Amino acid sequence: LQPTQQIQPAPSITQPSVVVANPTPANTPATPQVHVSSSEPPTVGQLVSKSHSGGYDEDGINLEEIREFAKDFKIRRLSLGLTQTQVGQALTATEGPAYSQSAICRFEKLDITPKSAQKLKPVLEKWLNEAEMRNQEGQQNLMEFVGGEPSKKRKRRTSFTPQAVEALNTYFEKNALPTGQEITDIAKELNYDREVVRVWFCNRRQTLKNTSKLNVFQIP
DNA sequence: CGTATGCAAATAAGG
DNA sequence: GCCTTATTTGCATAC
């Protein structure tokens, strides 16, 4: 009943503009390259298309093998008539780590780092093999396998309300490094887990720092 | 509806 | 326990 303050499109006021006013540099003049973020690790897709020596990356990960599996995975997933969403959901029910639809999508597109891919591959491989096995026993078995328990491993991502973010930013402007007690108070005031608030400050500091020292020297 | 993706939570690892 | 730095990963939503 209460006219809950719905998602407001951010009131134009409260403009932080603390340290880094708005260093947004005019975009790179002539660099048709892919998103040139400061220092993001290359994805498997990018590396693999550069025809690396033998198809291995600097850490000895077999990029070719991953590319091949990713392609195969998608074909087999589709053969089972499953969506990325279903696979992601099904993975949360297994013993191993869980992944979202986004993760499945990125894996298939190789839009992930070799390290991540290396970690994902065995998980997906194992799951897919079992899914196919179930499918042979009958489609019903497959659907049971896909819709399992939601045993969660990773903490679910918190979504702060725009109001909460605004409040957090206000606190941050006053003090970017609150004490343990202050974090506790803020968490209680905004009604979020203390740990979530603590991490928010950590991430906020990190973002601010990274934003400040924008790529001065870049790609030779 | 399923898939792709931007932004930023959450996590890993070293102090 | 908390910090930083680097990175992984997912929610929300655009395509």
Side-chain angles (χ1 to χ4, degrees), chain A residues 11 14-15 18-19 45-46 50 74 106 108 117-118 128 132 135 140 147 149 153 155-156 163 171 186 195 201 206 218:
Chain A
T14 48
Q15 249 292 37
V18 190
V19 183
Q46 296 174 321
K50 281 183 179 176
K74 182 171 185 176
R106 285 173 172 139
E108 290 185 350
Q118 184 78 321
L128 185 62
E132 291 181 325
N135 188 48
Q140 199 52 47
E149 292 293 297
K153 292 90 180 177
K155 185 188 186 307
R156 292 195 56 144
Q163 295 76 13
Y171 282 119
I186 293 172
E195 177 61 9
F201 274 87
Q206 184 167 43
Q218 196 64 295

Side-chain angles (χ1 to χ4, degrees), chain A residues 10 39 49 60 69 84 118 120 132-133 140 147 152 188 202:
Chain A
S39 59
S49 63
F69 176 73
Q84 294 175 351
Q118 184 78 321
L120 255 294
E132 291 181 325
M133 202 170 75
Q140 199 52 47
K152 51 189 175 183
K188 187 176 181 183
C202 287

Side-chain angles (χ1 to χ4, degrees), chain A residues 130-203:
Chain A
E130 181 152 5
E132 291 181 325
M133 202 170 75
R134 301 269 185 149
N135 188 48
Q136 291 194 318
E137 296 171 10
Q139 193 173 4
Q140 199 52 47
N141 287 298
L142 174 63
M143 296 325 275
E144 273 177 42
F145 183 53
V146 172
E149 292 293 297
S151 63
K152 51 189 175 183
K153 292 90 180 177
R154 184 190 175 95
K155 185 188 186 307
R156 292 195 56 144
R157 186 187 172 111
T158 302
S159 287
F160 293 103
T161 64
Q163 295 76 13
V165 173
E166 206 178 299
L168 285 166
N169 274 314
T170 299
Y171 282 119
F172 187 83
E173 286 178 45
K174 287 190 287 190
N175 180 10
L177 191 54
T179 64
Q181 186 56 54
E182 291 173 324
I183 291 175
T184 300
D185 293 341
I186 293 172
K188 187 176 181 183
E189 174 64 30
L190 300 180
N191 199 244
Y192 279 100
D193 274 356
R194 191 195 121 89
E195 177 61 9
V196 164
V197 172
R198 189 185 67 76
V199 170
W200 185 89
F201 274 87
C202 287
N203 283 322

Side-chain angles (χ1 to χ4, degrees), chain A residues 96-126:
Chain A
Y99 290 100
S100 66
Q101 174 265 324
S102 299
I104 306 303
C105 176
R106 285 173 172 139
F107 183 83
E108 290 185 350
K109 296 201 65 183
L110 299 177
D111 189 22
I112 46 175
T113 63
K115 213 173 184 179
S116 295
Q118 184 78 321
K119 190 173 153 194
L120 255 294
K121 184 171 173 289
V123 176
L124 297 181
E125 197 161 31
K126 182 187 175 189

Side-chain angles (χ1 to χ4, degrees), chain A residues 19-40:
Chain A
V19 183
V20 185
N22 189 356
T24 307
N27 272 5
T28 11
T31 309
Q33 279 298 50
V34 207
H35 282 181
V36 185
S37 288
S38 44
S39 59
E40 293 179 22

